[in-house]
């Protein structure tokens, strides 16, 4: 599994938090992984660990987004864009193993796949303000 595929799985799990209560997420996590045919235990563990770390920092991440995204806040953003931005902000601010430019580039590339036509530019702009 590539790093981008791993990021996509984490993003998809983060997307689900917009539709389920936090108490339901362990079950949602399980249901999600039942849909993936083959996943190596090390990838499963990595995805689960990174998802948990993002969730631990979610309040801080949302605060960073709300301060940086002028005219926007996490409640107004599209749910796909928000999930992608949250993952990127975590990687930029809390994951020393991921270079900032890689986190931004990956977020934009994922937005091209899952977001709307304006998502890549919007996400790039928000993340650019965060790192400024």
């Amino acid at each position: 599994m590539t790093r981008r595929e791993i990021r996509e799985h984490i993003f998809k799990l983060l997307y689900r938090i917009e539709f389920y209560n936090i108490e339901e997420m362990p079950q949602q996590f399980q249901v999600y992984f039942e849909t993936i045919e083959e996943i190596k235990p090390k990838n499963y563990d990595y995805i689960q660990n990174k998802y948990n770390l993002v969730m631990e920092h979610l309040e801080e991440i949302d605060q960073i987004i709300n301060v940086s995204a002028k005219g926007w806040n996490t409640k107004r953003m599209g749910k796909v864009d928000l999930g992608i931005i949250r993952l990127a902000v975590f990687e930029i601010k809390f994951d020393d193993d991921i270079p900032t430019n890689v986190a931004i580039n990956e977020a934009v590339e994922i937005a091209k796949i899952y977001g709307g036509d304006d998502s890549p530019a919007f996400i790039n702009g928000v993340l650019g303000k965060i790192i400024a």
Side-chain angles (χ1 to χ4, degrees):
M1 185 174 294
T2 66
R3 289 183 183 203
R4 177 161 305 147
E5 289 170 331
I6 288 171
R7 276 188 182 88
E8 287 180 25
H9 289 301
I10 297 166
F11 150 69
K12 289 175 183 177
L13 290 164
L14 291 172
Y15 177 75
R16 286 181 180 227
I17 68 173
E18 296 301 315
F19 303 99
Y20 296 96
N21 295 326
I22 200 74
E23 298 82 26
E24 295 174 299
M25 284 311 294
Q27 181 183 9
Q28 286 301 312
F29 200 92
Q30 207 56 31
V31 167
Y32 177 79
F33 278 100
E34 288 173 2
T35 66
I36 300 173
E37 291 185 20
E38 290 184 30
I39 185 167
K40 294 178 180 174
K42 71 176 186 170
N43 290 332
Y44 177 87
D45 292 342
Y46 181 86
I47 292 167
Q48 184 175 31
N49 183 52
K50 194 157 188 178
Y51 166 82
N52 288 335
L53 288 170
V54 173
M55 293 304 294
E56 285 175 22
H57 292 283
L58 193 60
E59 266 186 55
E60 283 177 272
I61 291 167
D62 283 356
Q63 185 177 20
I64 291 167
I65 295 168
N66 287 331
V67 167
S68 300
K70 303 292 183 215
W72 290 90
N73 65 44
T74 55
K75 290 181 176 40
R76 277 191 68 214
M77 289 181 186
K79 303 308 179 201
V80 169
D81 294 351
L82 180 58
I84 295 168
I85 292 169
R86 282 174 168 163
L87 178 56
V89 170
F90 172 80
E91 290 183 338
I92 291 166
K93 297 292 185 178
F94 303 102
D95 191 339
D96 295 334
D97 294 335
I98 308 293
T100 298
N101 61 331
V102 171
I104 293 171
N105 184 60
E106 288 295 309
V108 170
E109 292 301 317
I110 291 171
K112 289 176 183 177
I113 298 168
Y114 296 100
D117 292 339
D118 297 330
S119 293
F122 175 72
I123 289 169
N124 191 50
V126 170
L127 295 176
K129 289 184 193 275
I130 288 171
I131 64 167

